[in-house]
Amino acid sequence: MTAQSTLVLIKPDAIRRGLIGAAIARLEPLGLEIIGAKVVRVSRDLAAEHYRQLREKPFFEQLLEHLQGTLHDTPYVLAFVLRGEDAIARVRDVTGATHPEQAHPTTIRGSFGRMTASGVMENIIHASADAREAQREIALWFKPEELLG
Ligand code: UDP
Ligand code: MG
């Protein structure tokens, strides 16, 4: 298995709730290399492109507002690219299932995610689901020169 890169976003709900450190503390033991990291003010276009596969969903507008931080008065996310052996699946395992109540309690989302009246699953982080998604998302969020070679 060769090294893979994956995109992780610490979403505005995590930032608002003081959970940046908690999220990173769960990821750090994976021993992956951080090859990109930055603060991003998310435009509507970037949010819509990031979640393009969900554009037909009834919760799409709330989803964009969530990623843009409008719902949490926190207009930015933290974006990381992590690299290492089997990074995509290993980060997703630690992240847990999309629905916070279905995520295993020891995962990031199982520990910290929640459902709210906004209708969006506030599951505190995003992690690329597979190799194709990782490649697309890394190119969307980072310029090549922002990543360590
Ligand atoms: N989401 C939601 N309701 C749903 C499905 C998804 O609010 O029924 C939100 C949730 O925040 C999720 C994001 O949309 O993280 C992207 O959905 P996806 O199915 O790609 O889940 P993920 O890959 O984040 O586990
Ligand atoms: Mg997804």
Side-chain angles (χ1 to χ4, degrees):
M1 171 78 70
T2 52
Q4 296 176 327
S5 296
T6 190
L7 181 83
V8 170
L9 302 177
I10 299 189
K11 298 180 181 181
D13 50 319
I15 298 171
R16 176 72 173 155
R17 294 169 59 205
L19 295 171
I20 298 170
I24 291 174
R26 300 294 183 93
L27 293 167
E28 205 168 20
L30 295 177
L32 300 169
E33 243 184 309
I34 300 173
I35 63 164
K38 64 178 175 179
V39 176
V40 184
R41 199 179 277 278
V42 182
S43 67
R44 189 191 152 82
D45 283 356
L46 176 57
E49 189 58 27
H50 178 76
Y51 281 132
R52 61 184 294 173
Q53 73 279 11
L54 298 173
R55 61 188 175 273
E56 307 296 340
K57 300 284 185 191
F59 56 86
F60 187 62
E61 284 304 317
Q62 290 98 300
L63 187 59
L64 301 191
E65 286 189 21
H66 178 226
L67 195 64
Q68 290 188 264
T70 322
L71 299 180
H72 295 91
D73 205 19
T74 302
Y76 64 99
V77 303
L78 292 172
F80 295 93
V81 178
L82 304 180
R83 181 171 68 189
E85 292 288 313
D86 204 15
I88 299 168
R90 290 173 64 218
V91 169
R92 282 288 283 200
D93 283 351
V94 171
T95 294
T98 307
H99 195 307
E101 288 163 359
Q102 284 158 16
H104 191 278
T106 60
T107 62
I108 295 171
R109 288 169 166 178
S111 300
F112 305 113
R114 63 187 186 189
M115 291 299 297
T116 68
S118 75
V120 179
M121 292 171 189
E122 299 190 358
N123 53 20
I124 92 158
I125 79 168
H126 166 81
S128 305
D130 56 39
R132 228 178 71 181
E133 190 171 287
Q135 191 179 23
R136 185 183 86 82
E137 292 176 351
I138 291 167
L140 179 64
W141 289 81
F142 285 84
K143 299 185 185 115
E145 62 267 26
E146 292 175 321
L147 299 173
L148 297 184

